[in-house]
Amino acid sequence: MSEDGDRREFRDLASPERAREVLASLDLDPEPENVPLADARGRVLAERVDAALDVPGFDRASMDGYAVVAEDTFDADEVDPVRLDVVGAVHAGEEPSVAVEPGSAVEVSTGAVVPPGADAVVKVEETTEADGGDAVEVRTSVAPGDAVMLAGADIAAGSRALGPGTELTAREIGLLSALGVDEVPVRGTPTVGIVSTGDELVRPGESLDSAAGQIHDVNSYAIAAAVEEAGGDPVLYPHAGDDYDEMERLLVEGAEECDLVLSSGSTSASAVDVIYRVVEERGDLLLHGVAVKPGKPMLVGEIGGAAYVGLPGYPVSALTIFRAFVAPLVREAAGLDEPRTAVVSGEMAVQERYGEGRQRLLPAGLVADGDGDLLVYPVDKGSGATTSLVDADGTVTVPADTAYLAAGESVDVTLFSPDVRPPRVLAVGEDDPLFSRVLDDVARPRFLPVGTREGLRRLREGVPDVAVVAGPETPDGDTVDLGGWTRDWGLVVPDGNPDGVDGLGDLVDRDLRLVNRDAGSGLRRSFDDAVEALADERATSRRELTDAIDGYGLTTKAHESPARKVAAGEADAGLGLRATAASLGLGFVPLGTQPVDVVAAPERAEKPGVRDLADALADCGRLAASLDGIEPQ
């Protein structure tokens, strides 16, 4: 065959948009796998990880001082301190051997288990030793819970810890370590075979004959590095010349072993460039030539079920085309987002006060407003909370002489990783098992389970996109309704209800131990309304009933926590949901049904992430089918 007869012309070049459509039709997705936690950095979660235990697993002292009964200190001040007997000490890592009684105190160190009987810690700076250490004078009053991190306050058992699609950096690894996770379900890493072609190429390290027009093979190594940067696993194959049989052998071998095969060179219409014929004869050539400079002679096809892309031969052109067209496919297959710079600028969404006279590295989260501008909000749950790392995207350095950061003030955020991205949708409010499942169908969400009351407050401040509202409380302003459901709530009891709990009155009239929810939750609001109704029925006061309920003031911050206390034998009943009781194999005493509404700020309603959430909510009936006591509206 003559050279002219063997030459292929570039006709009907595809537009860049069409090229991306063709590339997007290729299947690069590898199978998910489980990897040891030590090898999980940089990988992407394939499924949601829920907390299987409370962190911390015990009530923990937040500072050095004395564990006390808070009520003993109510009248204490600098002029008239309260004197308490010191009955022992508890250090970090040891089990308490003493208990705190009214009128006594136990010395504790930071991180120590708070001894039984104590409900607060007085920091050592606010005390004075007396009687050679047998007593202590307390010079300030403390409230219950002061300087104590309650069990589960960092993250509670049953809570959504990390969602599918989360890239695992050092902060997520730290959270998983705190949860005791030693093996992680991750998306598979796409394997990318790399074949460089051309008779003129010589691998680095081999003898080069420049007089014969030989050049070192740049593309194999440069493209391999680019594949790694995009989240793929490069596989280098031996160099192929312009021989058809050798080229065919290498491409077929690569297709059998990899998710994607890349070649560079031999893609032009020259008679000696025959690679397109290999693809046509052993697979399917979907595209030959793109109207872009550099990179006109790009090939796209399939070989033996594997995706194939032929890159230009010049290194600059090859890398340019790879980054513009192929790298996004590799990143998507690996579950990774587009890379960006490590420092971003945004405006403070709310005012943040600070006046301790020290430089501060403020953990900060990012969210885009309705116009796409970045807002920065503080994220600070305390130095002992590992979830602050996951909820934040980076840090804002606050100089020592700064009293506050004003709302609207421009700040720079140093990202924890160059790959950190703001959530596509930021939701706050009531935690709920159905909403947790809905979030699994949304790309890159962030949910802060702060309770209904705090969620509404933050929505009014203009920080989040969405609030989840449960119970009788409703938004006090314009919002956009995205969807909702009802859920059965009541008392979670041991399987079989051995105590024969029949309703709320049993908690008042009988010696039963309750675990309650925190005052800001929608569940607690419905429970308090039920107590109020019972008080009216009995012609007594609500306070009298709550005083009669053992454990009314024992609160937790997550919807599963009370139920898990019941399962562990630490309580006779817990305020919770029918769905939770069913999932944990426990009994349930219904007290009512409450609505759950997901509402968006009007100016954020058209954000892509909010629309994605709305679409997922429209399909929540499918997700609710396996949850007892939850019915979509």
PDB file of all heavy atoms in Angstrom, residues 570-590:
ATOM      1  N   GLU A 570     -27.435   0.851  81.547  1.00  0.00           N
ATOM      2  CA  GLU A 570     -27.169   2.000  82.402  1.00  0.00           C
ATOM      3  C   GLU A 570     -28.415   2.826  82.668  1.00  0.00           C
ATOM      4  O   GLU A 570     -28.356   3.813  83.405  1.00  0.00           O
ATOM      5  CB  GLU A 570     -26.086   2.873  81.767  1.00  0.00           C
ATOM      6  CG  GLU A 570     -24.764   2.155  81.578  1.00  0.00           C
ATOM      7  CD  GLU A 570     -23.734   3.022  80.858  1.00  0.00           C
ATOM      8  OE1 GLU A 570     -23.929   4.245  80.807  1.00  0.00           O
ATOM      9  OE2 GLU A 570     -22.750   2.455  80.355  1.00  0.00           O
ATOM     10  N   ALA A 571     -29.532   2.480  82.058  1.00  0.00           N
ATOM     11  CA  ALA A 571     -30.769   3.215  82.262  1.00  0.00           C
ATOM     12  C   ALA A 571     -31.944   2.303  81.962  1.00  0.00           C
ATOM     13  O   ALA A 571     -31.813   1.306  81.234  1.00  0.00           O
ATOM     14  CB  ALA A 571     -30.825   4.458  81.374  1.00  0.00           C
ATOM     15  N   ASP A 572     -33.101   2.634  82.549  1.00  0.00           N
ATOM     16  CA  ASP A 572     -34.313   1.863  82.309  1.00  0.00           C
ATOM     17  C   ASP A 572     -35.068   2.357  81.089  1.00  0.00           C
ATOM     18  O   ASP A 572     -35.871   1.613  80.494  1.00  0.00           O
ATOM     19  CB  ASP A 572     -35.227   1.950  83.531  1.00  0.00           C
ATOM     20  CG  ASP A 572     -34.546   1.446  84.789  1.00  0.00           C
ATOM     21  OD1 ASP A 572     -34.062   0.298  84.778  1.00  0.00           O
ATOM     22  OD2 ASP A 572     -34.469   2.222  85.770  1.00  0.00           O
ATOM     23  N   ALA A 573     -34.872   3.624  80.739  1.00  0.00           N
ATOM     24  CA  ALA A 573     -35.565   4.203  79.590  1.00  0.00           C
ATOM     25  C   ALA A 573     -34.737   5.354  79.049  1.00  0.00           C
ATOM     26  O   ALA A 573     -33.993   6.010  79.787  1.00  0.00           O
ATOM     27  CB  ALA A 573     -36.960   4.698  79.978  1.00  0.00           C
ATOM     28  N   GLY A 574     -34.883   5.594  77.764  1.00  0.00           N
ATOM     29  CA  GLY A 574     -34.178   6.710  77.134  1.00  0.00           C
ATOM     30  C   GLY A 574     -35.094   7.395  76.141  1.00  0.00           C
ATOM     31  O   GLY A 574     -35.875   6.732  75.440  1.00  0.00           O
ATOM     32  N   LEU A 575     -35.018   8.713  76.095  1.00  0.00           N
ATOM     33  CA  LEU A 575     -35.798   9.461  75.121  1.00  0.00           C
ATOM     34  C   LEU A 575     -35.233   9.185  73.732  1.00  0.00           C
ATOM     35  O   LEU A 575     -34.027   9.364  73.507  1.00  0.00           O
ATOM     36  CB  LEU A 575     -35.742  10.953  75.439  1.00  0.00           C
ATOM     37  CG  LEU A 575     -36.505  11.885  74.503  1.00  0.00           C
ATOM     38  CD1 LEU A 575     -37.981  11.542  74.471  1.00  0.00           C
ATOM     39  CD2 LEU A 575     -36.294  13.336  74.920  1.00  0.00           C
ATOM     40  N   GLY A 576     -36.074   8.743  72.812  1.00  0.00           N
ATOM     41  CA  GLY A 576     -35.549   8.405  71.497  1.00  0.00           C
ATOM     42  C   GLY A 576     -36.629   8.139  70.474  1.00  0.00           C
ATOM     43  O   GLY A 576     -37.805   8.487  70.662  1.00  0.00           O
ATOM     44  N   LEU A 577     -36.225   7.506  69.377  1.00  0.00           N
ATOM     45  CA  LEU A 577     -37.096   7.269  68.230  1.00  0.00           C
ATOM     46  C   LEU A 577     -37.405   5.784  68.091  1.00  0.00           C
ATOM     47  O   LEU A 577     -36.598   4.919  68.472  1.00  0.00           O
ATOM     48  CB  LEU A 577     -36.422   7.760  66.950  1.00  0.00           C
ATOM     49  CG  LEU A 577     -35.968   9.217  66.917  1.00  0.00           C
ATOM     50  CD1 LEU A 577     -35.210   9.485  65.622  1.00  0.00           C
ATOM     51  CD2 LEU A 577     -37.161  10.150  67.056  1.00  0.00           C
ATOM     52  N   ARG A 578     -38.563   5.504  67.501  1.00  0.00           N
ATOM     53  CA  ARG A 578     -38.888   4.107  67.207  1.00  0.00           C
ATOM     54  C   ARG A 578     -37.835   3.495  66.288  1.00  0.00           C
ATOM     55  O   ARG A 578     -37.448   2.332  66.443  1.00  0.00           O
ATOM     56  CB  ARG A 578     -40.265   4.017  66.556  1.00  0.00           C
ATOM     57  CG  ARG A 578     -40.727   2.578  66.326  1.00  0.00           C
ATOM     58  CD  ARG A 578     -42.013   2.519  65.507  1.00  0.00           C
ATOM     59  NE  ARG A 578     -43.136   3.120  66.196  1.00  0.00           N
ATOM     60  CZ  ARG A 578     -43.912   2.481  67.067  1.00  0.00           C
ATOM     61  NH1 ARG A 578     -43.660   1.210  67.366  1.00  0.00           N
ATOM     62  NH2 ARG A 578     -44.935   3.103  67.617  1.00  0.00           N
ATOM     63  N   ALA A 579     -37.369   4.287  65.302  1.00  0.00           N
ATOM     64  CA  ALA A 579     -36.369   3.777  64.357  1.00  0.00           C
ATOM     65  C   ALA A 579     -35.093   3.367  65.065  1.00  0.00           C
ATOM     66  O   ALA A 579     -34.475   2.356  64.721  1.00  0.00           O
ATOM     67  CB  ALA A 579     -36.082   4.832  63.291  1.00  0.00           C
ATOM     68  N   THR A 580     -34.695   4.130  66.061  1.00  0.00           N
ATOM     69  CA  THR A 580     -33.483   3.805  66.813  1.00  0.00           C
ATOM     70  C   THR A 580     -33.677   2.527  67.610  1.00  0.00           C
ATOM     71  O   THR A 580     -32.803   1.651  67.637  1.00  0.00           O
ATOM     72  CB  THR A 580     -33.119   4.958  67.754  1.00  0.00           C
ATOM     73  OG1 THR A 580     -32.901   6.141  66.992  1.00  0.00           O
ATOM     74  CG2 THR A 580     -31.860   4.634  68.531  1.00  0.00           C
ATOM     75  N   ALA A 581     -34.820   2.420  68.293  1.00  0.00           N
ATOM     76  CA  ALA A 581     -35.091   1.214  69.072  1.00  0.00           C
ATOM     77  C   ALA A 581     -35.054  -0.029  68.188  1.00  0.00           C
ATOM     78  O   ALA A 581     -34.471  -1.053  68.555  1.00  0.00           O
ATOM     79  CB  ALA A 581     -36.447   1.341  69.759  1.00  0.00           C
ATOM     80  N   ALA A 582     -35.663   0.061  66.996  1.00  0.00           N
ATOM     81  CA  ALA A 582     -35.687  -1.090  66.093  1.00  0.00           C
ATOM     82  C   ALA A 582     -34.290  -1.452  65.613  1.00  0.00           C
ATOM     83  O   ALA A 582     -33.935  -2.631  65.545  1.00  0.00           O
ATOM     84  CB  ALA A 582     -36.600  -0.792  64.905  1.00  0.00           C
ATOM     85  N   SER A 583     -33.488  -0.448  65.285  1.00  0.00           N
ATOM     86  CA  SER A 583     -32.145  -0.731  64.755  1.00  0.00           C
ATOM     87  C   SER A 583     -31.240  -1.355  65.806  1.00  0.00           C
ATOM     88  O   SER A 583     -30.321  -2.096  65.471  1.00  0.00           O
ATOM     89  CB  SER A 583     -31.518   0.549  64.207  1.00  0.00           C
ATOM     90  OG  SER A 583     -31.210   1.462  65.254  1.00  0.00           O
ATOM     91  N   LEU A 584     -31.496  -1.068  67.092  1.00  0.00           N
ATOM     92  CA  LEU A 584     -30.646  -1.592  68.172  1.00  0.00           C
ATOM     93  C   LEU A 584     -31.274  -2.808  68.854  1.00  0.00           C
ATOM     94  O   LEU A 584     -30.723  -3.310  69.834  1.00  0.00           O
ATOM     95  CB  LEU A 584     -30.383  -0.496  69.207  1.00  0.00           C
ATOM     96  CG  LEU A 584     -29.583   0.721  68.720  1.00  0.00           C
ATOM     97  CD1 LEU A 584     -29.446   1.742  69.835  1.00  0.00           C
ATOM     98  CD2 LEU A 584     -28.221   0.306  68.195  1.00  0.00           C
ATOM     99  N   GLY A 585     -32.430  -3.267  68.360  1.00  0.00           N
ATOM    100  CA  GLY A 585     -33.063  -4.435  68.947  1.00  0.00           C
ATOM    101  C   GLY A 585     -33.633  -4.184  70.330  1.00  0.00           C
ATOM    102  O   GLY A 585     -33.632  -5.083  71.181  1.00  0.00           O
ATOM    103  N   LEU A 586     -34.159  -2.979  70.582  1.00  0.00           N
ATOM    104  CA  LEU A 586     -34.699  -2.605  71.877  1.00  0.00           C
ATOM    105  C   LEU A 586     -36.210  -2.423  71.785  1.00  0.00           C
ATOM    106  O   LEU A 586     -36.790  -2.368  70.695  1.00  0.00           O
ATOM    107  CB  LEU A 586     -34.042  -1.309  72.362  1.00  0.00           C
ATOM    108  CG  LEU A 586     -32.530  -1.370  72.583  1.00  0.00           C
ATOM    109  CD1 LEU A 586     -31.968   0.017  72.847  1.00  0.00           C
ATOM    110  CD2 LEU A 586     -32.184  -2.312  73.738  1.00  0.00           C
ATOM    111  N   GLY A 587     -36.847  -2.297  72.949  1.00  0.00           N
ATOM    112  CA  GLY A 587     -38.273  -2.054  72.981  1.00  0.00           C
ATOM    113  C   GLY A 587     -38.582  -0.573  72.852  1.00  0.00           C
ATOM    114  O   GLY A 587     -37.695   0.288  72.981  1.00  0.00           O
ATOM    115  N   PHE A 588     -39.868  -0.267  72.620  1.00  0.00           N
ATOM    116  CA  PHE A 588     -40.252   1.132  72.399  1.00  0.00           C
ATOM    117  C   PHE A 588     -41.648   1.377  72.949  1.00  0.00           C
ATOM    118  O   PHE A 588     -42.569   0.591  72.713  1.00  0.00           O
ATOM    119  CB  PHE A 588     -40.212   1.447  70.906  1.00  0.00           C
ATOM    120  CG  PHE A 588     -40.521   2.881  70.570  1.00  0.00           C
ATOM    121  CD1 PHE A 588     -39.596   3.877  70.831  1.00  0.00           C
ATOM    122  CD2 PHE A 588     -41.734   3.239  69.995  1.00  0.00           C
ATOM    123  CE1 PHE A 588     -39.864   5.200  70.528  1.00  0.00           C
ATOM    124  CE2 PHE A 588     -42.010   4.560  69.694  1.00  0.00           C
ATOM    125  CZ  PHE A 588     -41.071   5.544  69.964  1.00  0.00           C
ATOM    126  N   VAL A 589     -41.772   2.485  73.676  1.00  0.00           N
ATOM    127  CA  VAL A 589     -43.054   2.928  74.203  1.00  0.00           C
ATOM    128  C   VAL A 589     -43.384   4.253  73.535  1.00  0.00           C
ATOM    129  O   VAL A 589     -42.746   5.269  73.823  1.00  0.00           O
ATOM    130  CB  VAL A 589     -43.006   3.094  75.728  1.00  0.00           C
ATOM    131  CG1 VAL A 589     -44.366   3.578  76.253  1.00  0.00           C
ATOM    132  CG2 VAL A 589     -42.598   1.790  76.408  1.00  0.00           C
ATOM    133  N   PRO A 590     -44.354   4.295  72.609  1.00  0.00           N
ATOM    134  CA  PRO A 590     -44.610   5.531  71.864  1.00  0.00           C
ATOM    135  C   PRO A 590     -45.228   6.603  72.752  1.00  0.00           C
ATOM    136  O   PRO A 590     -46.081   6.322  73.591  1.00  0.00           O
ATOM    137  CB  PRO A 590     -45.578   5.088  70.767  1.00  0.00           C
ATOM    138  CG  PRO A 590     -46.242   3.871  71.328  1.00  0.00           C
ATOM    139  CD  PRO A 590     -45.231   3.190  72.185  1.00  0.00           C
TER     140      PRO A 590
END
